[in-house]
Short mmCIF file of all heavy atoms in Angstrom, two decimals:
data_model
loop_
_atom_site.label_atom_id
_atom_site.label_comp_id
_atom_site.label_asym_id
_atom_site.label_seq_id
_atom_site.Cartn_x
_atom_site.Cartn_y
_atom_site.Cartn_z
N ASN A 73 6.23 16.84 -7.77
CA ASN A 73 7.15 16.24 -8.73
C ASN A 73 6.79 14.76 -8.84
O ASN A 73 7.18 13.95 -8.01
CB ASN A 73 8.60 16.41 -8.26
CG ASN A 73 9.61 15.88 -9.27
OD1 ASN A 73 9.36 14.89 -9.96
ND2 ASN A 73 10.74 16.55 -9.37
N LYS A 74 6.02 14.42 -9.88
CA LYS A 74 5.55 13.04 -10.02
C LYS A 74 6.68 12.07 -10.32
O LYS A 74 6.66 10.92 -9.90
CB LYS A 74 4.48 12.96 -11.11
CG LYS A 74 3.17 13.61 -10.73
CD LYS A 74 2.10 13.31 -11.76
CE LYS A 74 2.40 13.98 -13.07
NZ LYS A 74 1.35 13.76 -14.09
N THR A 75 7.68 12.53 -11.05
CA THR A 75 8.80 11.66 -11.40
C THR A 75 9.55 11.21 -10.16
O THR A 75 9.89 10.04 -9.99
CB THR A 75 9.75 12.36 -12.37
OG1 THR A 75 9.02 12.75 -13.53
CG2 THR A 75 10.91 11.46 -12.76
N ALA A 76 9.81 12.17 -9.28
CA ALA A 76 10.53 11.87 -8.05
C ALA A 76 9.60 11.40 -6.94
O ALA A 76 10.06 11.00 -5.87
CB ALA A 76 11.30 13.10 -7.60
N LYS A 77 8.31 11.49 -7.16
CA LYS A 77 7.30 11.11 -6.17
C LYS A 77 7.46 11.89 -4.87
O LYS A 77 7.55 11.30 -3.77
CB LYS A 77 7.30 9.60 -5.93
CG LYS A 77 6.78 8.81 -7.14
CD LYS A 77 6.56 7.33 -6.84
CE LYS A 77 7.86 6.62 -6.73
NZ LYS A 77 7.70 5.16 -6.60
N HIS A 78 7.54 13.21 -5.00
CA HIS A 78 7.52 14.03 -3.80
C HIS A 78 6.75 15.31 -4.04
O HIS A 78 6.60 15.76 -5.18
CB HIS A 78 8.93 14.28 -3.24
CG HIS A 78 9.81 15.13 -4.08
ND1 HIS A 78 9.64 16.48 -4.26
CD2 HIS A 78 10.94 14.81 -4.77
CE1 HIS A 78 10.60 16.95 -5.03
NE2 HIS A 78 11.40 15.97 -5.35
N PHE A 79 6.23 15.88 -2.97
CA PHE A 79 5.49 17.12 -3.02
C PHE A 79 5.83 17.94 -1.78
O PHE A 79 6.22 17.38 -0.75
CB PHE A 79 3.98 16.89 -3.17
CG PHE A 79 3.34 16.03 -2.12
CD1 PHE A 79 2.46 16.58 -1.20
CD2 PHE A 79 3.59 14.66 -2.04
CE1 PHE A 79 1.85 15.79 -0.24
CE2 PHE A 79 2.98 13.87 -1.09
CZ PHE A 79 2.11 14.43 -0.19
N SER A 80 5.74 19.25 -1.91
CA SER A 80 6.21 20.14 -0.86
C SER A 80 5.20 21.25 -0.59
O SER A 80 4.52 21.71 -1.52
CB SER A 80 7.55 20.76 -1.24
OG SER A 80 8.55 19.77 -1.42
N LEU A 81 5.18 21.69 0.65
CA LEU A 81 4.38 22.84 1.07
C LEU A 81 5.31 24.00 1.33
O LEU A 81 6.32 23.85 2.04
CB LEU A 81 3.59 22.51 2.34
CG LEU A 81 2.75 23.64 2.93
CD1 LEU A 81 1.54 23.93 2.03
CD2 LEU A 81 2.29 23.30 4.34
N HIS A 82 5.02 25.15 0.75
CA HIS A 82 5.82 26.35 0.91
C HIS A 82 4.95 27.43 1.56
O HIS A 82 3.87 27.74 1.04
CB HIS A 82 6.33 26.85 -0.44
CG HIS A 82 7.09 25.83 -1.22
ND1 HIS A 82 8.46 25.87 -1.36
CD2 HIS A 82 6.67 24.73 -1.90
CE1 HIS A 82 8.85 24.84 -2.11
NE2 HIS A 82 7.78 24.13 -2.45
N ILE A 83 5.42 27.97 2.66
CA ILE A 83 4.72 29.09 3.31
C ILE A 83 5.67 30.27 3.31
O ILE A 83 6.78 30.19 3.84
CB ILE A 83 4.32 28.75 4.76
CG1 ILE A 83 3.49 27.46 4.81
CG2 ILE A 83 3.52 29.91 5.38
CD1 ILE A 83 3.17 26.98 6.22
N THR A 84 5.27 31.37 2.69
CA THR A 84 6.10 32.56 2.64
C THR A 84 5.62 33.58 3.67
O THR A 84 4.48 33.52 4.15
CB THR A 84 6.06 33.21 1.24
OG1 THR A 84 4.69 33.54 0.94
CG2 THR A 84 6.59 32.26 0.19
N GLU A 85 6.53 34.49 4.03
CA GLU A 85 6.21 35.56 4.98
C GLU A 85 5.48 35.02 6.20
O GLU A 85 4.39 35.48 6.56
CB GLU A 85 5.36 36.63 4.28
CG GLU A 85 6.05 37.26 3.08
CD GLU A 85 5.13 38.21 2.31
OE1 GLU A 85 4.08 38.60 2.86
OE2 GLU A 85 5.46 38.55 1.17
N THR A 86 6.10 34.05 6.85
CA THR A 86 5.45 33.37 7.96
C THR A 86 5.05 34.32 9.08
O THR A 86 5.73 35.33 9.34
CB THR A 86 6.34 32.26 8.54
OG1 THR A 86 7.61 32.81 8.88
CG2 THR A 86 6.50 31.12 7.55
N GLN A 87 3.94 33.97 9.73
CA GLN A 87 3.40 34.77 10.83
C GLN A 87 3.19 33.86 12.04
O GLN A 87 3.08 32.64 11.88
CB GLN A 87 2.07 35.39 10.39
CG GLN A 87 2.20 36.27 9.16
CD GLN A 87 0.86 36.66 8.56
OE1 GLN A 87 -0.20 36.32 9.08
NE2 GLN A 87 0.91 37.40 7.46
N PRO A 88 3.14 34.41 13.25
CA PRO A 88 2.96 33.56 14.44
C PRO A 88 1.74 32.64 14.34
O PRO A 88 1.80 31.51 14.83
CB PRO A 88 2.81 34.59 15.56
CG PRO A 88 3.61 35.76 15.10
CD PRO A 88 3.40 35.82 13.61
N GLU A 89 0.70 33.08 13.67
CA GLU A 89 -0.51 32.25 13.56
C GLU A 89 -0.32 31.06 12.61
O GLU A 89 -1.21 30.20 12.51
CB GLU A 89 -1.72 33.08 13.12
CG GLU A 89 -1.50 33.91 11.89
CD GLU A 89 -1.10 35.34 12.23
OE1 GLU A 89 -0.32 35.55 13.19
OE2 GLU A 89 -1.55 36.26 11.50
N ASP A 90 0.81 31.01 11.92
CA ASP A 90 1.12 29.84 11.10
C ASP A 90 1.65 28.69 11.97
O ASP A 90 1.78 27.56 11.48
CB ASP A 90 2.16 30.17 10.03
CG ASP A 90 1.64 31.15 9.00
OD1 ASP A 90 0.42 31.14 8.71
OD2 ASP A 90 2.45 31.95 8.49
N SER A 91 1.97 28.96 13.21
CA SER A 91 2.47 27.92 14.12
C SER A 91 1.39 26.87 14.31
O SER A 91 0.27 27.18 14.74
CB SER A 91 2.87 28.52 15.46
OG SER A 91 3.96 29.41 15.32
N ALA A 92 1.73 25.62 13.99
CA ALA A 92 0.77 24.52 14.04
C ALA A 92 1.50 23.25 13.62
O ALA A 92 2.69 23.27 13.30
CB ALA A 92 -0.41 24.77 13.12
N VAL A 93 0.76 22.14 13.60
CA VAL A 93 1.27 20.90 13.02
C VAL A 93 0.66 20.76 11.63
O VAL A 93 -0.55 20.94 11.45
CB VAL A 93 0.92 19.67 13.87
CG1 VAL A 93 1.43 18.39 13.19
CG2 VAL A 93 1.53 19.80 15.27
N TYR A 94 1.50 20.48 10.65
CA TYR A 94 1.07 20.33 9.27
C TYR A 94 1.21 18.88 8.84
O TYR A 94 2.24 18.25 9.09
CB TYR A 94 1.89 21.24 8.35
CG TYR A 94 1.60 22.71 8.58
CD1 TYR A 94 2.22 23.39 9.63
CD2 TYR A 94 0.70 23.40 7.77
CE1 TYR A 94 1.94 24.72 9.87
CE2 TYR A 94 0.43 24.74 7.99
CZ TYR A 94 1.05 25.39 9.05
OH TYR A 94 0.77 26.72 9.29
N PHE A 95 0.17 18.36 8.19
CA PHE A 95 0.18 16.98 7.70
C PHE A 95 0.02 16.97 6.19
O PHE A 95 -0.85 17.65 5.64
CB PHE A 95 -0.98 16.18 8.29
CG PHE A 95 -0.89 15.95 9.76
CD1 PHE A 95 -1.57 16.75 10.65
CD2 PHE A 95 -0.12 14.90 10.26
CE1 PHE A 95 -1.50 16.53 12.02
CE2 PHE A 95 -0.05 14.68 11.62
CZ PHE A 95 -0.72 15.50 12.50
N CYS A 96 0.85 16.17 5.52
CA CYS A 96 0.61 15.89 4.11
C CYS A 96 -0.11 14.55 4.00
O CYS A 96 -0.14 13.77 4.96
CB CYS A 96 1.92 15.84 3.33
SG CYS A 96 3.05 14.52 3.85
N ALA A 97 -0.71 14.29 2.86
CA ALA A 97 -1.41 13.03 2.64
C ALA A 97 -1.43 12.72 1.15
O ALA A 97 -1.20 13.59 0.31
CB ALA A 97 -2.84 13.09 3.19
N ALA A 98 -1.69 11.46 0.86
CA ALA A 98 -1.77 11.02 -0.54
C ALA A 98 -2.82 9.93 -0.65
O ALA A 98 -3.10 9.21 0.31
CB ALA A 98 -0.41 10.51 -1.02
#
Side-chain angles (χ1 to χ4, degrees):
Chain A
N73 184 325
K74 289 188 293 182
T75 302
K77 290 189 287 187
H78 68 71
F79 56 111
S80 299
L81 177 71
H82 305 254
I83 306 174
T84 59
E85 301 174 15
T86 54
Q87 301 168 3
E89 52 264 39
D90 294 328
S91 296
V93 178
Y94 292 82
F95 293 98
C96 63

